[in-house]
Amino acid sequence: MKYGSFFFIFFLFSYASQAQLAVIQDPDGFTNVREYQGAQSKILDQIKACEVFWVVASEDNQTAWRDVAFYRDYEELSESRQAKLKDKLYMNRLWMYGYIHQSRIRFIEDFPSLDSVRGTDSTAEYSNGAITVKFAVSSFHPKDHDISVNDNWVAEIDGKIPFGTDGEMPKARLSAVSVTQNHQTISIPEEMLEDLYLPGIKYWNAGVFTGPNEEIFIVMHNSDGAGYYDLVWVVKEGKVLSRYAGSPY
């Protein structure tokens, strides 16, 4: 493991005192999330294979059960749940909390990682020879965007709630992410990039991990303070399966 990857892992273990990004390991392809610790507790929801969630540090984690957080997008909820929970949404997401047995949890940073092979303030590249992931950051120019401001708070940019700004005007945005594998290059779609601000693409903020079933997890820890958010894309077989962005705190 090269220098950059070592320090990214070090950063993640420091960050782990708060929360760790994880996926399930379950032969059934899903794991139940329980309301309380114990297999007899009420099932709140299910986490499926390749879904990303957060394992939260907690005083409750004194047994084999771990405190977890995950979210459901507003559009994923049934109409009845949308109406009932609309006031509890944060950035159009419903955050949920519960417990999963530790035997069903696999931390993303435990997977093999790609090395940081090149980086500047505006570009970064990670590779293991077979897979290459490239990032690009560009300056944010307010005049080029439709910005909604409420009481000096940047509420929306181009019709979307921005990540990473904490109400301030952003200075930088994530402008491109590409994945090259088997001589094929795919780009993260623009609609999965356009609300992401103050990105951290250097090796202590970003990393790329390969899962046991050929998944590629592209991980970033962006912004800071109240604007901090985690970001994960899941890529498999040349397709972007999903994007996860937010913080359980």
Side-chain angles (χ1 to χ4, degrees), residues 70-195:
F70 59 101
Y71 65 78
R72 295 289 179 247
D73 287 318
Y74 181 74
E75 292 76 12
E76 295 178 0
L77 305 176
S78 64
E79 291 186 5
S80 60
R81 293 191 78 188
Q82 287 180 351
K84 185 183 299 183
L85 300 170
K86 190 172 183 179
D87 293 338
K88 296 183 178 180
L89 296 176
Y90 178 70
M91 298 187 74
N92 288 325
R93 285 122 189 251
L94 173 65
W95 280 91
M96 303 178 68
Y97 301 84
Y99 294 89
I100 293 178
H101 195 274
Q102 65 181 12
S103 65
R104 298 294 187 262
I105 295 172
R106 187 76 184 271
F107 294 115
I108 291 176
E109 68 264 28
D110 288 341
F111 293 135
S113 62
L114 276 62
D115 292 313
S116 173
V117 296
R118 188 174 294 108
T120 67
D121 288 340
S122 59
T123 61
E125 182 176 331
Y126 296 80
S127 181
N128 63 1
I131 302 168
T132 299
V133 176
K134 296 181 179 180
F135 299 88
V137 174
S138 61
S139 298
F140 179 80
H141 302 290
K143 63 182 179 61
D144 297 332
H145 299 270
D146 181 13
I147 300 173
S148 175
V149 179
N150 295 327
D151 295 327
N152 296 319
W153 181 277
V154 177
E156 291 187 351
I157 300 176
D158 298 328
K160 292 191 174 184
I161 301 173
F163 283 95
T165 65
D166 191 30
E168 299 177 348
M169 196 69 69
K171 296 181 179 179
R173 63 181 294 266
L174 189 61
S175 53
V177 180
S178 66
V179 180
T180 300
Q181 183 180 24
N182 298 325
H183 306 291
Q184 176 188 10
T185 298
I186 64 168
S187 296
I188 301 296
E190 176 62 23
E191 59 267 24
M192 288 189 174
L193 295 173
E194 57 189 2
D195 56 348

Side-chain angles (χ1 to χ4, degrees), residues 5-65:
S5 296
F6 171 81
F7 276 96
F8 179 72
I9 298 297
F10 176 81
F11 168 81
L12 283 176
F13 277 108
S14 298
Y15 171 74
S17 61
Q18 300 181 49
Q20 290 177 275
L21 295 162
V23 291
I24 65 163
Q25 53 176 10
D26 195 309
D28 293 330
F30 69 90
T31 291
N32 292 324
V33 181
R34 303 282 177 174
E35 184 175 14
Y36 302 107
Q37 298 182 20
Q40 305 307 313
S41 180
K42 176 183 176 181
I43 297 174
L44 296 178
D45 209 314
Q46 292 180 338
I47 301 291
K48 297 180 175 62
C50 288
E51 286 190 46
V52 176
F53 59 96
W54 286 255
V55 179
V56 182
S58 169
E59 293 180 359
D60 292 337
N61 294 161
Q62 304 301 314
T63 70
W65 292 85

